[in-house]
């Protein structure tokens, strides 16, 4: 059995994966609803906020989620009809921390006379700083490879300076300076849910009592989920997880795990051949039994790495959105995170 992949094989698989990601990002049925008169209309940027707002708002709100089922949020940008919907709402909730690179231009596109209140829901979460996509470990490179990398980096820096004025709204996918995946940790989700509650009260104080009661019910569910993660993961003999997308930094930080990712903070960030060689070696040397893939991105590269290292794959869902099937089955943030915990326990025992 070979100890490592060939660079050509890895590069080819990376290219294949990226092409599949782009195809997936264009798919998915548009399941969002419309503005409803007589209710507080809340527009959310992606699924976790939709879930929190729906649970806390209850019968008094109409929640419109911008991103359709089955679409990876890193690849989504709003259309003119989304702008039209938001202009008629009372509240717009977004994650922040760099997740929605389109937010500023989106808000600037709203009519000047609109009264919608906007709020960043990751506020109060201790953010994980740094961009691992730009901070690769080059210890495994030859002198020639390192010199070539430095040359490319210098060229990119000059290009960025020359083209900075022309940067578009997709630049955040390759220039994240913090980890935006706050909601993947139940501890962060508790903070975000409280932010949702406070925002709802701000726009509809008449139903403050109801919103607070609904929040307490949701808080109990999230606190129980948090306690379960803490108790169960503290018992595992292993603490390393290998994931396809670096979306589990907050979960790892909050529950004593260490993640090694095939791809970076953006789900379509291109992995380098040397990084993949190092991951394959890491898996073999550390007794890793599973490589985690995620719902809305092709598992092709994770499957190939798992096959080479003679290990299996498991789902670890970043809960960035629901698939149409999950929508139909009534899955929620809570049920998906509970499934994540079970798969983590299976991999780490």
């Amino acid at each position: 059995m070979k100890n490592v992949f060939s660079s050509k094989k890895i590069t080819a698989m990376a290219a294949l994966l990226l092409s599949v990601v782009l195809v997936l990002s264009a798919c998915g049925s548009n399941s969002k609803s419309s503005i409803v008169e007589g209710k507080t209309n809340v527009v959310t940027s992606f699924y976790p906020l939709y879930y929190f707002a729906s649970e806390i708002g209850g019968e008094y709100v109409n929640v419109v989620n911008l991103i359709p089922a089955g679409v990876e949020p890193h690849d989504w940008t709003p259309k003119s009809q989304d702008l039209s919907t938001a202009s008629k709402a009372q509240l717009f909730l977004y994650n922040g921390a760099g997740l929605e690179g389109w937010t500023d231009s989106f808000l600037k596109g709203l009519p000047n006379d609109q009264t919608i209140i906007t709020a960043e829901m990751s506020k109060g979460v201790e953010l994980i700083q740094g961009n691992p996509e730009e901070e690769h470990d080059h210890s495994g490179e030859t002198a020639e490879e390192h010199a070539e990398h430095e040359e490319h980096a210098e060229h990119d820096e000059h290009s960025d300076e020359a083209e900075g004025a022309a940067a578009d709204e997709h630049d955040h996918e390759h220039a994240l300076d913090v980890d935006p995946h706050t909601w993947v940790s139940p501890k962060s989700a508790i903070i975000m849910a409280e932010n949702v509650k406070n925002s709802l009260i701000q726009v509809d104080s008449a139903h403050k009592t109801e919103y607070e009661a609904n929040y307490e019910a949701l808080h109990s569910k999230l606190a129980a989920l948090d306690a379960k993660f803490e108790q169960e993961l503290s018992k595992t003999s292993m603490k390393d997880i290998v994931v396809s997308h670096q979306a589990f930094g907050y979960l790892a930080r909050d529950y004593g795990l260490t993640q090694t990712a095939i791809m970076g903070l953006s789900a379509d960030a291109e992995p380098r051949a040397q990084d993949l060689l190092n991951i394959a070696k890491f898996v073999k040397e550390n007794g890793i039994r599973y490589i985690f893939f995620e719902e809305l991105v092709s598992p092709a590269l994770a499957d190939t790495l798992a096959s080479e290292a003679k290990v299996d794959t498991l789902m670890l869902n970043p809960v960035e959105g629901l698939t149409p099937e999950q929508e139909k089955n009534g899955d929620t943030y809570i049920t998906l995170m509970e499934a994540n915990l079970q798969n983590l326990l299976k991999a780490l025992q």
Side-chain angles (χ1 to χ4, degrees):
M1 181 179 68
K2 293 185 296 182
N3 291 326
V4 294
F5 296 128
S6 69
S7 295
K8 288 183 178 180
K9 182 177 180 182
I10 290 293
T11 302
M13 285 305 304
L16 172 62
L17 176 63
L18 292 176
S19 67
V20 174
V21 168
L22 292 176
V23 171
L24 286 176
S25 69
C27 301
S29 60
N30 192 329
S31 59
K32 65 177 183 248
S33 58
S34 302
I35 295 297
V36 174
E37 295 296 332
K39 289 192 175 186
T40 296
N41 288 280
V42 182
V43 172
T44 59
S45 63
F46 76 133
Y47 169 71
L49 299 183
Y50 171 85
Y51 173 70
F52 299 152
S54 298
E55 291 293 299
I56 298 169
E59 64 182 297
Y60 303 102
V61 305
N62 171 58
V63 188
V64 178
N65 192 41
L66 291 181
I67 301 180
V71 175
E72 217 285 337
H74 288 284
D75 303 311
W76 184 86
T77 53
K79 307 294 188 297
S80 58
Q81 63 265 31
D82 300 309
L83 202 59
S84 175
T85 299
S87 69
K88 301 170 186 174
Q90 288 76 53
L91 181 63
F92 172 59
L93 305 178
Y94 64 101
N95 185 73
L99 179 68
E100 308 96 339
W102 45 265
T103 305
D104 288 344
S105 58
F106 183 76
L107 296 179
K108 288 177 182 177
L110 293 172
N112 293 331
D113 59 351
Q114 61 83 32
T115 58
I116 186 172
I117 291 176
T118 64
E120 182 178 354
M121 294 297 97
S122 63
K123 193 171 183 179
V125 176
E126 183 182 352
L127 299 178
I128 296 175
Q129 302 292 327
N131 181 3
E133 295 166 30
E134 301 297 333
E135 300 170 0
H136 294 299
D137 177 11
H138 302 295
S139 59
E141 293 181 338
T142 64
E144 292 80 3
E145 289 172 332
H146 183 73
E148 182 180 356
H149 175 85
E150 293 298 322
E151 181 180 349
H152 283 307
E154 183 177 356
H155 172 75
D156 290 343
E157 181 178 350
H158 291 310
S159 297
D160 288 344
E161 292 174 358
E163 300 174 6
D168 64 22
E169 61 195 13
H170 294 288
D171 282 350
H172 75 288
E173 295 177 2
H174 305 290
L176 294 172
D177 56 7
V178 298
D179 186 342
H181 305 91
T182 52
W183 64 93
V184 185
S185 166
K187 291 186 185 300
S188 296
I190 290 172
I191 296 173
M192 296 172 70
E194 184 173 14
N195 289 339
V196 171
K197 177 204 70 174
N198 292 338
S199 296
L200 285 171
I201 292 173
Q202 181 181 359
V203 299
D204 182 23
S205 59
H207 294 108
K208 176 180 178 180
T209 301
E210 291 85 350
Y211 294 149
E212 288 181 337
N214 290 343
Y215 165 74
E216 288 302 324
L218 176 60
H219 180 273
S220 295
K221 295 178 184 178
L222 293 173
L225 185 67
D226 171 40
K228 190 180 296 185
F229 266 77
E230 278 196 347
Q231 294 165 7
E232 297 299 325
L233 291 175
S234 68
K235 303 173 186 175
T236 61
S237 57
M238 298 181 65
K239 302 298 179 183
D240 288 300
I241 58 174
V242 176
V243 299
S244 61
H245 170 202
Q246 190 160 333
F248 303 94
Y250 294 92
L251 186 149
R253 179 189 70 183
D254 291 344
Y255 302 101
L257 306 178
T258 301
Q259 73 168 342
T260 297
I262 299 172
M263 296 180 291
L265 293 177
S266 299
D268 62 349
E270 183 176 359
R272 298 184 309 132
Q274 186 60 49
D275 297 328
L276 298 175
L277 293 170
N278 291 340
I279 293 172
K281 182 180 179 182
F282 176 83
V283 168
K284 294 176 182 180
E285 291 181 348
N286 290 275
I288 304 297
R289 297 188 296 126
Y290 294 93
I291 292 177
F292 288 108
F293 65 96
E294 68 177 71
E295 190 80 57
L296 300 180
V297 176
S298 168
L301 193 53
D303 287 343
T304 301
L305 282 169
S307 176
E308 176 69 18
K310 304 301 181 185
V311 298
D312 294 322
T313 60
L314 272 177
M315 171 75 71
L316 193 60
N317 195 333
V319 200
E320 294 174 333
L322 298 180
T323 65
E325 182 179 1
Q326 288 168 341
E327 272 193 330
K328 183 178 179 180
N329 292 339
D331 280 313
T332 68
Y333 175 89
I334 300 292
T335 63
L336 295 182
M337 287 300 294
E338 286 175 340
N340 277 345
L341 177 58
Q342 294 310 308
N343 281 350
L344 284 168
L345 294 175
K346 182 176 180 179
L348 296 174
Q349 295 294 355

